[in-house]
Amino acid sequence: MAVRKSSEVRSVQAAVVRRKDGPLRIEKLRIEHPRNDEVLVRTVATGVCHTDISMLHYWDEADGPQVLGHEGAGIVEEVGSKVKRFRPGDHVILSFQSCGICASCRSGRPTKCRIFYDLNFGFRRADGTNGFAASGVRGHFFGQSSFATHMLTTERNMVKVDRTLPLSLLAPLGCGIQAGAGAVMNQLKIRKKESMVVFGSGAVGLSAVMAGHMIGAAPVIAVDIRPSRLKLALELGATHFVDGRRSDIAAAIREIAPGGIDYSLETTGCSTIMQMAVDVLKKGGTAAYFTGDGGPDLAPPGRKVVSVIAGDSVPQKFIPRMIRWYKAGKFPFDRLIKFYNFRQINRAIKDSLLGTTIKPVLLFTCKKTG
Ligand code: CXF
Ligand code: ZN
């Protein structure tokens, strides 16, 4: 068998960030073939998450050109010689990256990985190298950079899925949907009859609503400023909604749950709502923020704020669970998705910002490159 030099590259098409707020431009790039411990996956679909859009918003010249995207799904094309669990042809969903060797990873808590931030937001491999260097672009976002026809990734990012469901549908399970459902199931461990309020009915919030409904939480209150989202929240299992445009949101929540709320989930990132999320709690209640850094500690005595990262999930366990719920008709996350062609990526981002699309999923056509 011919031994390939690691300097060899292949060409791919990727949406590259070269200016703040975009637009992204689709360019031909040269990326390395997988190293011993890496896998090259041909992208079939990728979700667009708000984290991608905020990276674009906070981008500046000094960051250099980047490839974003972290809800990729595809088919394994090449595996490095040390890769054990995957082979070409496998259908896979990609999720976040973790080191696998720190104490948290070894104890089965990859979201608490000691170098989580570096691995997912550092735009480089753990050893500091960049497989996109030949093109002067930074890749490896969340260990995948899925806004591209191919993803250079590792086993720890990957979850093998069976072929009975289309990869295009499953792509967003890797981040947003996992975050919302995982917060309810894995992190807060909300139980039957406990009350919850979800601020924001985007992909994360609505996934939390579906999970809350599934476990019999009550009441499950959805708060959003868009009537269409509130209607959808009710269809997905919210027992009540509060129109976020009214001036007395907290009073409306107290009317529904006079004793206060057990759990609030804050997905908007808006500071007044972050405060409200703790104000509506009963004593002993917990508010979850999805900012990753815990956010400000606004909790009055006897209440708690926790930070949710990727729903405190082990993707290899939680993604298959979500797929089983979907198949059983209990977790209809497909209702959040709108499909676009990869070439319409800027339109997908715009629709997400406008709020007309909840979860854009980009589809890649099967054109051979490289
Ligand atoms: C992120 C959100 C911020 C903390 C890390 C995980 N998820 C991706 O969108
Ligand atoms: Zn995300």
Side-chain angles (χ1 to χ4, degrees), residues 48-52 70-71 121 141-142 174-177 179 204 359:
V48 176
C49 168
H50 264 281
T51 299
D52 299 308
H70 62 286
E71 291 184 350
F121 292 94
F141 185 56
F142 275 73
C175 181
I177 293 172
V204 175
K359 172 55 71 181

Side-chain angles (χ1 to χ4, degrees), residues 47-168:
V48 176
C49 168
H50 264 281
T51 299
D52 299 308
I53 301 177
S54 50
M55 290 297 291
L56 195 54
H57 185 64
Y58 291 108
W59 184 89
D60 79 43
E61 210 77 47
D63 294 327
Q66 300 170 340
V67 182
L68 298 168
H70 62 286
E71 291 184 350
I75 300 174
V76 174
E77 202 159 284
E78 270 186 64
V79 297
S81 59
K82 290 193 185 143
V83 170
K84 297 276 174 291
R85 293 182 288 118
F86 297 90
R87 48 179 197 197
D90 284 346
H91 283 209
V92 294
I93 308 294
L94 303 194
S95 192
F96 61 89
Q97 174 69 299
S98 57
C99 76
I101 51 181
C102 71
S104 306
C105 283
R106 276 189 284 118
S107 66
R109 305 286 300 277
T111 65
K112 302 265 189 282
C113 174
R114 194 177 61 81
I115 54 169
F116 184 94
Y117 187 84
D118 286 346
L119 288 177
N120 290 288
F121 292 94
F123 292 93
R124 56 186 173 224
R125 298 182 176 101
D127 68 2
T129 59
N130 169 24
F132 293 59
S135 292
V137 167
R138 301 172 74 198
H140 306 283
F141 185 56
F142 275 73
Q144 50 173 299
S145 285
S146 62
F147 292 165
T149 54
H150 295 78
M151 303 175 280
L152 199 50
T153 192
T154 72
E155 285 188 276
R156 288 188 66 78
N157 290 77
M158 298 167 63
V159 182
K160 202 182 293 190
V161 293
D162 69 45
R163 293 161 195 231
T164 56
L165 291 171
L167 285 165
S168 50

Side-chain angles (χ1 to χ4, degrees), residues 157-227:
N157 290 77
M158 298 167 63
V159 182
K160 202 182 293 190
V161 293
D162 69 45
R163 293 161 195 231
T164 56
L165 291 171
L167 285 165
S168 50
L169 187 72
L170 303 180
L173 292 178
C175 181
I177 293 172
Q178 169 167 263
V184 170
M185 301 283 193
N186 305 325
Q187 184 148 5
L188 301 173
K189 298 187 165 68
I190 302 179
R191 285 173 305 201
K192 209 176 159 106
K193 301 257 170 67
E194 289 184 318
S195 53
M196 59 185 267
V197 55
V198 181
F199 295 95
S201 293
V204 175
L206 290 171
S207 300
V209 165
M210 286 187 281
H213 171 67
M214 214 184 332
I215 57 170
V220 176
I221 308 166
V223 185
D224 200 279
I225 54 174
R226 292 180 203 87

Side-chain angles (χ1 to χ4, degrees), residues 319-363:
I319 289 176
R321 270 179 87 192
M322 291 189 286
I323 293 174
R324 287 197 291 277
W325 296 329
Y326 174 77
K327 283 182 168 171
K330 295 193 284 192
F331 191 63
F333 68 90
D334 57 319
R335 298 200 52 196
L336 315 183
I337 295 175
K338 181 171 171 191
F339 293 110
Y340 297 78
N341 190 278
F342 177 47
R343 307 220 154 259
Q344 298 172 294
I345 186 167
N346 293 301
R347 163 88 179 282
I349 289 172
K350 196 168 142 216
D351 289 356
S352 173
L353 284 169
L354 285 171
T356 49
T357 297
I358 300 175
K359 172 55 71 181
V361 171
L362 311 176
L363 303 174

